[in-house]
Amino acid sequence: MDAFINFLYAAIISATPLLFGTLGEIITEKVGNLNLGVEGMMWLGAFSGFYVAFKTDSLLLSLVASFAFAALGAALYAFLTITLRANQNVTGLTLTTFGIGIAKVLGYAMTSVTKQPQISDSLNQKVSALNLPFLTNIPYVGKLLFNYNILVYFAVILSVLFYLYFKHTKRGLNVRAVGENPAAADAAGINVTVQKYIHVILGGGICGIGGAYMSLISGNGTWHSGGVVNGYGWIAVALVIFASWNPARAIVGSLIFGMFASLQNYVPASVVTLPTPIYQMLPFLLTTIVLIITSIRKSKENQQPASCGLNYFREER
Amino acid sequence: MIANGTRTHEPLVRIAKRRERSRAELILLRAAAFLLAIVAGGAFIALLGHSPIEVYAEIFKGAFAGNKRDPLSAVKQTLVFFVPLIVTSLGLSLAFRMKFWNIGGEGQIIMGGIFATIFALYSTDNPGAIPSFILLPLMFVAGALGGGLMALLPAIFKIKFGTNETLFTLMLNYIALYFLKYLVSGPWQRTPGFASIGNFDKSARMWEIGGFHASLLVAAALVIFVHFYIKKSKQGYEISVVGESQPTARYAGMNVGKIILRTMFLSGAICGMVGMIKVSSTYTLTEGITGGVGFTGITVAWLSQFNALGMVLVSLLFAILQKGSSVMQTSLGLSADASNVLQGIILFSFLGTEFFTRYKFVFKKNNSKEKE
């Protein structure tokens, strides 16, 4: 039982940055923009979040910075794809190259041969596991529910809020209309351009917080220029498919990915021994299968927003 | 178009289609984009406290200036970056012309590398069993087959079930990557504890002609092939028609499914050749086989608007940036990743100016009754 609790606990810790990235990309794709720049935006957030944490010692400022810097990258993408109608795939990929480049160059400038930049102990304390009086001490449940760092709760709450937003509010419905059929949304009086800008930038910023999670928590508060984000942005793009564009399912989806990522440390060698790369491959294999099955069943519910990847030009209606 | 006399609120700025620009105008526009990128990149470098001119000069020097023993050493290394990039772009451009989003270049390169390595390992275990002039062509065909089959998979599902190819090919990249990691740290591992399969036997190494890899010739041949395939062949024409409009292609009696399968196989096969070129030039198969060219190639192909000569120029530019930046890191202490930033800035400014080839901004006139 203890081993299982530990396993779930580790899975949730490693799933959280994925949840931020996935949620950000879902919000972006809901307005019909496929942004392949998630990895780049997470790097931008990872750097800026780390830098501000390092300089100011404030968790709040660090998170704001990570959101803002990644949102800036998303704004560039938004300007190019929405106003200037550049190809979404190419612009997103460029944002990835650019974002990784910026983060590594600035990170390199901050690092010296003798000293790896590291956040202070007091800040480290703030992002470490909560210890609530009474609640955390409940056997099993305490560890499983009340013993995470604060960002884990933030990610889950944010996902639930966006689930409700898309499912139950008029505004959310309008946003979905933009992604499904921008021409019809436009005709219905929804300002397509404004909605696209808002959600692409918002989504990018949330990806950035996921990046800050990786540099502050997953990276133990030290800047490793080799790989802070380490491909998690790409996994998030895959997870969007797995979650079938649903923020609530993104919670479950990222948890499953997190479980696969932690699985190899917890499966006793006597039960089954799979090589590490095979464990790492499983989530992608699963995602591909989900992608194929939804396309075979042609289920309208679980598909990508219909206009995703295509730019909208009113005069070409 | 807003009809005269209606009370529609006219925005301050709106966007309209423009007449096609002349060739000279297009070239000028691209030159302006490049200039903009140089200036923006320079501003970024200056912000970091370096002199832009010094950094640019160092990158250029690093890409071309060799040492005393071999004046061409830097050029050779720049070409090592260039060849995989141009070949990948050529392969991907075929699929893109058809509006089939092959994001799977990475996976196709990896599969090509794995298929080619099967023969290279056999020859390494049995030295002399296959002479080099048979082995290398064999590896080449194997690589093409590996990449082609990898690309065929999403094409089949696209035709049968309409499965989204962007996402499918993206997923196949990871599946291929982890399969590769499994091979080099498992069944093909030669040094315990290291994800290494050791060096290939001499017979499996890329031929060198005057110190240059023969793969340069392969790249040149492919540039010419893709150019004429697209411009002059019936199959190339079919690709363009399917890309323009599938219903039109069907109406003209074309077998759209067959064209998609054939083109995707060819696209993946050319990417697979990159895998073969990489393993035979580095004498081994590693996790870093692609160097990210599967992704960079997408942007190169798109920027060049699938024009073969354009892809040569852009690939060359990116190769110079990459090689030059690696030298600059040691000499000036600015991270080599600056090449990624500069590359991004160049791409962004090209993507941005692309808009002005097709559209124009129309500003609201003071007298709103005035006609267009």
Side-chain angles (χ1 to χ4, degrees):
Chain A
M1 190 65 188
D2 265 357
F4 186 69
I5 298 280
N6 285 341
F7 164 60
L8 269 183
Y9 185 82
I12 288 169
I13 293 287
S14 68
T16 303
L18 289 173
L19 183 53
F20 279 115
T22 310
L23 181 62
E25 182 68 2
I26 287 177
I27 296 167
T28 308
E29 291 192 22
K30 281 284 186 195
V31 286
N33 278 61
L34 178 69
N35 189 350
L36 293 181
V38 180
E39 177 84 3
M41 294 186 293
M42 284 180 79
W43 270 98
L44 287 175
F47 170 76
S48 55
F50 182 86
Y51 182 78
V52 171
F54 182 62
K55 288 285 174 195
T56 67
D57 245 1
S58 155
L59 179 61
L60 185 67
L61 283 181
S62 153
L63 294 182
V64 169
S66 66
F67 180 91
F69 211 46
L72 215 57
L76 188 59
Y77 166 91
F79 177 66
L80 285 166
T81 58
I82 300 168
T83 301
L84 298 186
R85 305 201 174 99
N87 179 282
Q88 294 184 6
N89 288 342
V90 179
T91 311
L93 286 169
T94 305
L95 180 56
T96 289
T97 310
F98 181 72
I100 296 176
I102 291 265
K104 286 195 176 176
V105 168
L106 295 178
Y108 184 85
M110 188 171 62
T111 318
S112 67
V113 188
T114 48
K115 207 168 158 225
Q116 285 273 350
Q118 198 162 9
I119 60 172
S120 70
D121 288 340
S122 67
L123 192 58
N124 231 334
Q125 198 63 43
K126 267 191 226 164
V127 292
S128 61
L130 286 183
N131 208 341
L132 300 173
F134 181 65
L135 286 177
T136 306
N137 297 327
I138 305 171
Y140 302 126
V141 182
K143 169 127 182 157
L144 212 49
L145 288 181
F146 304 111
N147 198 17
Y148 299 102
N149 65 72
I150 193 158
L151 283 175
V152 172
Y153 302 101
F154 181 48
V156 173
I157 292 168
L158 210 57
S159 304
V160 172
L161 285 178
F162 271 99
Y163 169 78
L164 296 172
Y165 171 68
F166 286 125
K167 187 101 185 175
H168 294 296
T169 70
K170 184 162 172 268
R171 245 194 102 138
L173 203 66
N174 284 349
V175 170
R176 278 164 57 199
V178 170
E180 294 294 343
N181 190 340
D186 196 2
I190 300 167
N191 192 332
V192 173
T193 309
V194 169
Q195 292 304 331
K196 275 184 175 252
Y197 263 97
I198 291 175
H199 291 86
V200 167
I201 292 173
L202 188 66
I206 293 174
C207 292
I209 298 179
Y213 187 103
M214 300 221 63
S215 58
L216 295 179
I217 297 165
S218 312
N220 291 324
T222 315
W223 181 258
H224 308 280
S225 57
V228 182
V229 178
N230 214 0
Y232 266 50
W234 288 113
I235 300 178
V237 175
L239 254 168
V240 173
I241 310 164
F242 191 84
S244 51
W245 295 269
N246 178 336
R249 269 185 229 159
I251 301 173
V252 183
S254 47
L255 180 59
I256 292 175
F257 266 58
M259 279 160 82
F260 275 116
S262 327
L263 196 58
Q264 52 184 329
N265 300 331
Y266 290 92
V267 172
S270 54
V271 179
V272 61
T273 44
L274 279 178
T276 312
I278 301 297
Y279 274 118
Q280 290 168 316
M281 187 203 283
L282 286 175
F284 295 101
L285 214 52
L286 210 59
T287 307
T288 312
I289 293 167
V290 169
L291 180 68
I292 292 171
I293 289 174
T294 51
S295 72
I296 291 177
R297 285 172 50 207
K298 302 232 178 333
S299 58
K300 287 227 162 60
E301 284 265 306
N302 302 333
Q303 292 275 9
Q304 193 178 30
S307 83
C308 207
L310 305 169
N311 289 329
Y312 174 61
F313 184 31
R314 182 184 257 182
E315 295 187 18
E316 267 168 9
R317 261 194 303 205
Chain B
M1 299 295 128
I2 296 162
N4 227 12
T6 59
R7 281 193 291 159
T8 318
H9 166 74
E10 191 182 351
L12 196 61
V13 190
R14 66 187 181 82
I15 292 162
K17 281 218 157 171
R18 56 164 302 126
R19 65 178 169 77
E20 268 185 40
R21 286 188 187 269
S22 69
R23 219 180 157 73
E25 273 183 313
L26 285 177
I27 291 172
L28 214 64
L29 204 62
R30 305 268 148 73
F34 186 64
L35 206 68
L36 178 73
I38 295 289
V39 172
F44 175 73
I45 294 166
L47 273 178
L48 290 174
H50 290 265
S51 150
I53 294 170
E54 199 185 359
V55 168
Y56 283 137
E58 199 64 25
I59 289 177
F60 200 73
K61 224 173 78 193
F64 292 108
N67 51 34
K68 279 211 191 77
R69 251 188 313 138
D70 182 4
L72 286 175
S73 66
V75 175
K76 282 175 193 161
Q77 286 169 36
T78 303
L79 287 175
V80 167
F81 285 109
F82 168 72
V83 169
L85 189 54
I86 178 65
V87 176
T88 308
S89 319
L90 288 168
L92 295 175
S93 73
L94 292 179
F96 294 163
R97 257 184 192 276
M98 206 170 54
K99 297 226 170 76
F100 191 103
W101 279 101
N102 181 8
I103 308 289
E106 293 275 309
Q108 289 146 23
I109 294 170
I110 290 173
M111 241 352 140
I114 290 175
F115 270 51
T117 301
I118 296 172
F119 291 94
L121 281 184
Y122 176 81
S123 167
T124 307
D125 290 338
N126 310 282
I130 316 173
S132 182
F133 71 91
I134 297 177
L135 180 62
L136 278 178
L138 205 60
M139 285 168 65
F140 193 75
V141 173
L145 193 67
L149 290 177
M150 193 70 171
L152 213 47
L153 198 63
I156 292 170
F157 279 96
K158 173 77 177 182
I159 294 165
K160 281 250 172 215
F161 307 113
T163 312
N164 184 316
E165 80 274 16
T166 315
L167 304 174
F168 198 159
T169 47
L170 187 66
M171 287 308 103
L172 286 179
N173 288 339
Y174 302 109
I175 295 175
L177 178 66
Y178 288 114
F179 183 56
L180 169 65
K181 285 190 177 180
Y182 162 69
L183 285 177
V184 298
S185 62
W188 285 358
Q189 187 185 43
R190 289 297 148 96
T191 3
F194 290 95
S196 163
I197 66 167
N199 277 347
F200 294 165
D201 178 58
K202 277 201 186 63
S203 59
R205 298 179 184 183
M206 181 58 81
W207 300 320
E208 290 192 13
I209 304 165
F212 287 92
H213 282 300
S215 50
L216 194 58
L217 291 177
V218 175
L222 280 170
V223 170
I224 296 165
F225 166 76
V226 168
H227 179 80
F228 284 102
Y229 183 73
I230 288 297
K231 297 269 166 182
K232 301 286 175 196
S233 80
K234 175 168 166 266
Q235 297 190 355
Y237 177 70
E238 287 175 340
I239 292 175
S240 305
V241 177
V242 171
E244 280 299 320
S245 154
Q246 292 199 7
T248 309
R250 258 184 221 108
Y251 190 66
M254 294 178 188
N255 184 343
V256 173
K258 195 179 119 193
I259 294 168
I260 291 179
L261 289 178
R262 184 180 66 207
T263 310
M264 265 309 272
F265 183 81
L266 193 59
S267 174
I270 295 178
C271 291
M273 292 172 194
V274 176
M276 179 272 170
I277 290 172
K278 285 289 274 199
V279 296
S280 60
S281 315
T282 55
Y283 317 146
T284 185
L285 174 68
T286 65
E287 288 171 17
I289 173 178
T290 68
V293 292
F295 287 128
T296 318
I298 296 168
T299 49
V300 171
W302 184 263
L303 268 195
S304 329
Q305 305 203 305
F306 320 134
N307 175 305
L309 187 68
M311 286 186 258
V312 173
L313 290 177
V314 179
S315 303
L316 208 53
L317 176 67
F318 284 2
I320 290 169
L321 270 181
Q322 252 181 312
K323 170 64 181 62
S325 298
S326 63
V327 175
M328 177 205 61
Q329 171 160 333
T330 18
S331 59
L332 294 180
L334 178 61
S335 164
D337 285 296
S339 72
N340 285 330
V341 177
L342 294 175
Q343 202 170 303
I345 290 175
I346 293 170
L347 288 164
F348 279 140
S349 77
F350 271 86
L351 284 166
T353 47
E354 207 56 34
F355 170 82
F356 297 100
T357 63
R358 286 173 293 141
Y359 304 102
K360 60 181 174 186
F361 284 118
V362 180
F363 292 93
K364 184 180 176 180
K365 307 264 170 43
N366 276 342
N367 181 356
S368 56
K369 275 180 209 150
E370 205 175 324
K371 279 185 191 162
E372 255 253 280

